[in-house]
Amino acid sequence: AQKVTQAQTEISVVEKEDVTLDCVYETRDTTYYLFWYKQPPSGELVFLIRRNSFDEQNEISGRYSWNFQKSTSSFNFTITASQVVDSAVYFCALIYNQGGKLIFGQGTELSVKP
Amino acid sequence: SAVISQKPSRDICQRGTSLTIQCQVDSQVTMMFWYRQQPGQSLTLIATANQGSEATYESGFVIDKFPISRPNLTFSTLTVSNMSPEDSSIYLCSVLTGLRGYTFGSGTRLTVV
């Protein structure tokens, strides 16, 4: 079965704290792609990162970093020094064949308080 | 990456009526996807729309309720028919675009009263 699990439904932190959003995926395929999207209160989906199954290098983009570990089927997302503007729902997603459908996790609602 | 213009951004509709949502892409794309996001929930794929063929619906979604048109490679519509309050959701269209994977429209926030 193809599945994405985001066990954290809601997370609340105080500004400047670091926060990690967990994502665990299941797939039988050896070739797949993982994504993170941000959905602010306005509702649109903002692309954050795409990672293919053959690239296990961690990535850093400003305050954002991603840890991809195939051994544990995890693709976790860390925000360093969180800001109020980071408040949003974050979705992890999986696609297991190019052009196929995205399978979304349940989402994690992050609230960053000043 | 592609830019998608989705209309309307929000609407409040009476039960029993229908609403058509439009998505216009600034480049030609083969596949367009329609998603539903019920309040507080994740995104669920409704159907995949290819130009020149019938849309492919996911389990639990039927053409009579969610008819889709795909007249060309840059445009698609989704109609929510005979609406009930349970149809209150955000509806999003999406296209597959290169390295970024998928680009999403800004969404249509539908409330059925």
Side-chain angles (χ1 to χ4, degrees), chain A residues 101, chain B residues 21 33-37 43-49 55-63 65-68 78-80 89-92:
Chain A
K101 66 180 182 180
Chain B
I21 302 167
F33 305 87
W34 287 96
Y35 287 84
R36 181 178 74 180
Q37 185 180 21
L43 285 81
T44 301
L45 182 65
I46 298 171
T48 302
T56 302
Y57 288 83
E58 296 297 307
S59 176
F61 297 96
V62 295
I63 188 171
K65 176 67 175 176
F66 297 101
I68 289 172
L78 169 77
T79 298
V80 186
S89 299
I90 299 174
Y91 293 84
L92 299 104

Side-chain angles (χ1 to χ4, degrees), chain A residues 57-95:
Chain A
Q57 282 190 340
N58 292 331
E59 178 147 345
I60 299 174
S61 176
R63 296 184 297 108
Y64 296 170
S65 62
W66 291 269
N67 185 343
F68 177 28
Q69 292 197 347
K70 291 177 72 173
S71 61
T72 56
S73 297
S74 65
F75 187 41
N76 296 337
F77 172 33
T78 297
I79 302 175
T80 303
S82 60
Q83 300 176 1
V84 173
V85 294
D86 295 327
S87 297
V89 179
Y90 291 85
F91 290 98
C92 181
L94 163 74
I95 179 173

Side-chain angles (χ1 to χ4, degrees), chain B residues 3-73:
Chain B
V3 175
I4 302 176
S5 173
Q6 182 172 345
K7 297 189 294 187
S9 58
R10 60 177 63 234
D11 207 341
I12 301 174
C13 299
Q14 296 290 323
R15 66 177 67 200
T17 62
S18 298
L19 176 71
T20 295
I21 302 167
Q22 301 179 2
C23 274
Q24 178 75 51
V25 189
D26 68 347
S27 58
Q28 294 185 338
V29 293
T30 303
M31 300 170 75
M32 292 184 72
F33 305 87
W34 287 96
Y35 287 84
R36 181 178 74 180
Q37 185 180 21
Q38 294 177 300
Q41 302 296 314
S42 187
L43 285 81
T44 301
L45 182 65
I46 298 171
T48 302
N50 292 329
Q51 194 269 334
S53 63
E54 292 283 332
T56 302
Y57 288 83
E58 296 297 307
S59 176
F61 297 96
V62 295
I63 188 171
D64 290 345
K65 176 67 175 176
F66 297 101
I68 289 172
S69 78
R70 185 81 204 274
N72 57 53
L73 290 172

